[in-house]
Each structure stands twice: as structure tokens, then as C-alpha cells.
Amino acid sequence: MKTSLNFFLFVFFALIFASCTKNAQVVAPATSTNSNELLSYNTATAPAIDGTVDAIWSEAKLVNLTAVVPDPGNGLFSGYIGDMYTGTLRSMYDATSIYFLAEIKDNSKNIKSAPWYFDPVTKLWARESTSKRFDANGVLTRDGFGEDKFSMLWNIDNSTSKFSAQTCYASCHVFTPYLNYAVTPAAMASNAGSGNHYTNGANEKIDMWWLHPNRGFAFGKMDDNYQDWAGGPQVTSLVGGNGNGRHFDDLVPTTPSTTWPFRPGYTADATQGSITNTQNLKLDGTGTTVAVPKWIIPNSTADFIKSTDTIAGGAAKIITAISSEGLLTYDGGSLDPKTGTDYQRLGTAATSPIGAKCIPGNLVTPVLLGRADISLGVVYTGTSWIYEFKRALKTADVLKQDVNFSDLADYPFGVAFWNSNNNQHAIQPGLLLKFQK
């Protein structure tokens, strides 16, 4: 089912880098516009993609952004609906590339995604939720530990007919209710916890640029994805949240599933941008099986672990055992989380922070090939995120998974912001990119 009050992107992963703050970001103010039109300035001088606002950016007119968390109508965004985030967006282009500068107001730097902490009461390790938690009365019981993120959607080859008028909403769907064939007889069921994207026809595709600051800090790339119709309504309207038309670039449909409802298969991706840092071990080697972190960099206060740190001789060590008191053992040492509070929650309030050494919940891996088309520089200033990124006007894509700007035509688009969560987000649809000729 579709709704004009649906969400822009739903996903399941996250992560980020620790100390990368630059405060010297002042250049001559650019001319602003309150319209929905972003004019890309034709430049002879390309900006450095490092998150520092070069003086050349003062030549580009900026668009003021005001994104609001919508109400999809299925409870998925409860606790966030109506939240508003502001910022600005600028663009430039030259003979080969297009450049963007997004500056998003944010008084807190949120880059830890579902970190591990030790509970001295239960003597178990647990992961924080990436979204806020509420009790039955709607009272906040725990803040979210997700990322601040940014995303853009583009129409590929004008293939998605409703995109010009609806931008973000052209592929936004909430599966509430859907026909649940997991029960006999099949019955309509609510799907309050899920929803995904698909387009409205077999030839319709949308280009999705997705910025994870942690991967940007670590590897300097946005994640280039695309959306298709996921097999059409005969699949998506029946399988709820499994009817997902969002895919990483380079993945293509393969032989459909051999079981009903025969949803399309897609080629496998070997370049996932994140891996959950978790495993199951037995307490004291023989007792109850519990979840614990898999990797740790001893005494680290970093917000993520890079996959390159986990190879032989790297800084990260595999945890091999856990005691009934929470003691973790790894090659070369052990970690006792009861010594001090570095690995614990620092208080019982919903908004209490966690200790400086709480273990990252994910490993950050690089995106490659078609997923790595967009170069990125990220800086947090203390009051704002600065996202600076570039992409070729025309990429090497032959699979129709990227928007092609080489004709310098007008391109509708929309943006989304996340604030300390990995799912709920604000959107601003109805924007239009124009090129200064």
C-alpha cells in the first residue's frame, strides 16, 4: 500500500570516526534563496572534498532546507513525528563532476551505532537501541544510539513517472495492512514495525545517495544505492516489509524465488558497508549462551572499528570467552567491565550517556565499485555537520542505476536527515536542481 505521508528511506545498518572537528569554516556568506531551486554554479575551480568550506563555495547560491519527520500512519516514527531539522545546500559543477555542500544544524555529534555496554546488575553485555524507546504511556525510557545521516533521491533517466511531482514520496510505501500468508487461512495483518521502498513499474528506477558519517570518516565515500519495483505489487503488497526495492549499486535481478510469492532474487553483494560486531558465547565456556561483542580494540574510545583493523596483526582482537561475571577474554589479555564505569551506562535516566570505552556495535567496511561513485568529506563543527561530496556528471554505470547529469537538464530531488537514530528521519521533498549555463 502507498501513502502520501510515507517515509523516505528505511534501512538496517550504521557506524563512524572519532576526532575530526574543524571550527575554522568561515567564508564569505553565499547568497541564499528560499525557493525550492538549487542552482549549481559553473566553476573553473573545484573545491577540495574534505569538509572544509573553501572560499569558492561563496559563489554558489544556497537553498535553505527545513526537513520534518512525517507520520507514515503505522507507528514506525512514534516519538519523532514533527521533529524539524534545518540546514543549507549548495552545488557547483565543472566539465566532469558535480559538487555538493550540505550544512546541517545539529548541537550533538551522534556517531555511535548500537554500542555495547555492560550491565552490572544482570552481569551481561547488551547493545543500545538505535531508536528511542517508550513505555506503554509514551514516556521516553531510553534515548537512541544511532547516527546522524543524510540522503538524497534522484530520478534515473526520468523513468519514474511520479517523481517530478512527488520526489521522495514517489517510492514511499507503508505495508499496513498486508496479507499475511504465514497463517492459515491467510489474513490481513498490521505491519507497524516495517516498511520499504519500491517503484511503480518494472522500468522505473530511483538513484539513492546515502551518507553514513562513520564510513565517510573512515573511507571517504557515500553509499550509492538504487530502488526498483521489487517484483511489483503482486509481491510487495503480500510480503510486508520483505517487499524491498532498495538495493546496492551493481546488484541486478536474478532468477525469482522458487517459492510463493516468487519475489525476484538479486545477485549477492560482497562489499557490505557494515558488519554487526556480535557473536554468541557460553558463560564460563559451558553455561548459558549469551550475546557478546566479537571484536574489541583494547582501551579504545573510538566510535567504530575499521574492518582493516581486524586482519592478522591488526589493532582489533577477537573475544574468545566470557565469564559469568562479565569478564571478556581475548588474545593477549582480558577486560573486566566492573573495574570503573568505562564500559557501563553512566546513570539510570533515559538520556544518560555511556562510558567512554563502550565497545562499538559495528565494524565499518569500505564500499567498492558502483557503490563508491561518490567521494565524501565530513566535519562536525560542534554546532553543525558539514557534508561535502562529489560525483562524476556521468558515471561508468551501464546498469541504469545512476542518475546521469551530463545533459545539464533540470533534476527534481529530495533530501532526508537522521538525528541519532538509524530509521526515523525527516524529509524535504519537492527540490529541483538546475545548472548555471
Side-chain angles (χ1 to χ4, degrees):
M1 295 179 64
K2 293 178 60 176
T3 176
S4 62
L5 283 176
N6 205 334
F7 57 94
F8 170 72
L9 300 161
F10 182 86
V11 267
F12 5 79
F13 17 54
L15 323 105
I16 210 148
F17 199 82
S19 58
C20 186
T21 299
K22 296 182 182 178
N23 294 310
Q25 298 290 330
V26 179
V27 298
T31 303
S32 66
T33 173
N34 288 316
S35 78
N36 68 333
E37 293 184 359
L38 175 65
L39 182 64
S40 191
Y41 172 68
N42 190 353
T43 184
T45 304
I49 305 301
D50 57 6
T52 299
V53 184
D54 298 337
I56 187 64
W57 278 112
S58 65
E59 300 296 328
K61 290 185 178 180
L62 57 82
V63 168
N64 294 309
L65 301 176
T66 301
V68 179
V69 179
D71 181 2
N74 65 344
L76 185 64
F77 287 3
S78 294
Y80 296 86
I81 295 167
D83 286 358
M84 181 182 298
Y85 311 111
T86 62
T88 62
L89 183 65
R90 291 181 253 186
S91 178
M92 295 190 286
Y93 78 100
D94 56 24
T96 61
S97 301
I98 186 167
Y99 310 88
F100 293 91
L101 176 69
E103 298 174 84
I104 311 302
K105 297 293 184 183
D106 195 334
N107 290 325
S108 62
K109 178 182 179 182
N110 302 301
I111 57 179
K112 290 182 181 290
S113 180
W116 288 94
Y117 69 94
F118 179 73
D119 187 334
V121 176
T122 64
K123 299 182 181 179
L124 296 175
W125 289 83
R127 298 179 72 197
E128 295 281 11
S129 172
T130 60
S131 299
K132 296 177 181 178
R133 293 180 178 179
F134 301 87
D135 64 17
N137 297 316
V139 177
L140 179 68
T141 59
R142 187 62 180 154
D143 222 348
F145 281 78
E147 293 182 82
D148 300 331
K149 295 185 288 189
F150 175 79
S151 185
M152 305 177 83
L153 285 187
W154 305 92
N155 195 2
I156 297 175
D157 291 347
N158 292 315
S159 62
T160 304
S161 59
K162 296 183 178 181
F163 196 89
S164 293
Q166 298 180 353
T167 58
C168 299
Y169 294 126
S171 74
C172 295
H173 300 253
V174 174
F175 304 95
T176 304
Y178 71 100
L179 192 56
N180 180 15
Y181 281 84
V183 297
T184 303
M188 300 305 291
S190 64
N191 197 10
S194 188
N196 272 307
H197 294 265
Y198 62 90
T199 57
N200 296 290
N203 296 317
E204 294 188 350
K205 290 183 182 177
I206 292 173
D207 195 3
M208 184 174 79
W209 301 1
W210 197 16
L211 187 156
H212 300 262
N214 49 2
R215 256 190 328 268
F217 280 141
F219 300 110
K221 295 290 183 180
M222 288 181 75
D223 200 342
D224 194 357
N225 299 183
Y226 76 98
Q227 298 172 13
D228 66 8
W229 80 319
Q234 67 270 27
V235 171
T236 53
S237 64
L238 299 177
V239 296
N242 291 325
N244 184 17
R246 187 183 60 78
H247 314 286
F248 303 131
D249 273 19
D250 301 323
L251 304 194
V252 295
T254 59
T255 304
S257 168
T258 58
T259 58
W260 187 93
F262 310 109
R263 69 173 62 92
Y266 286 82
T267 50
D269 180 78
T271 61
Q272 293 286 341
S274 64
I275 301 170
T276 303
N277 183 25
T278 187
Q279 64 177 326
N280 293 320
L281 295 176
K282 291 182 180 295
L283 291 173
D284 299 316
T286 59
T288 304
T289 299
V290 296
V292 297
K294 182 174 182 179
W295 296 93
I296 183 174
I297 299 178
N299 296 311
S300 172
T301 59
D303 298 299
F304 62 84
I305 298 175
K306 292 175 65 173
S307 58
T308 49
D309 288 330
T310 65
I311 59 175
K317 306 295 183 181
I318 292 181
I319 293 169
T320 56
I322 179 173
S323 77
S324 55
E325 295 295 315
L327 181 76
L328 300 178
T329 300
Y330 56 87
D331 182 19
S334 62
L335 185 162
D336 186 352
K338 299 191 300 298
T339 303
T341 57
D342 281 345
Y343 295 93
Q344 302 176 20
R345 286 178 173 174
L346 304 180
T348 58
T351 57
S352 295
I354 56 176
K357 295 182 181 179
C358 282
I359 301 170
N362 296 277
L363 276 67
V364 182
T365 66
V367 293
L368 305 173
L369 304 174
R371 287 181 66 182
D373 285 328
I374 308 164
S375 298
L376 171 70
V378 182
V379 165
Y380 182 70
T381 67
T383 57
S384 298
W385 283 104
I386 298 178
Y387 303 134
E388 190 173 25
F389 47 103
K390 82 167 188 177
R391 204 210 73 174
L393 290 171
K394 183 180 185 337
T395 69
D397 167 57
V398 295
L399 299 172
K400 299 297 184 182
Q401 296 174 351
D402 286 340
V403 62
N404 177 6
F405 296 117
S406 61
D407 61 0
L408 305 184
D410 297 347
Y411 286 86
F413 69 101
V415 301
F417 307 154
W418 288 253
N419 184 24
S420 188
N421 64 79
N422 290 354
N423 299 322
Q424 298 85 353
H425 52 273
I427 71 169
Q428 181 165 352
L431 299 168
L432 184 68
L433 172 70
K434 292 189 171 185
F435 291 88
Q436 180 191 54
K437 305 298 198 294

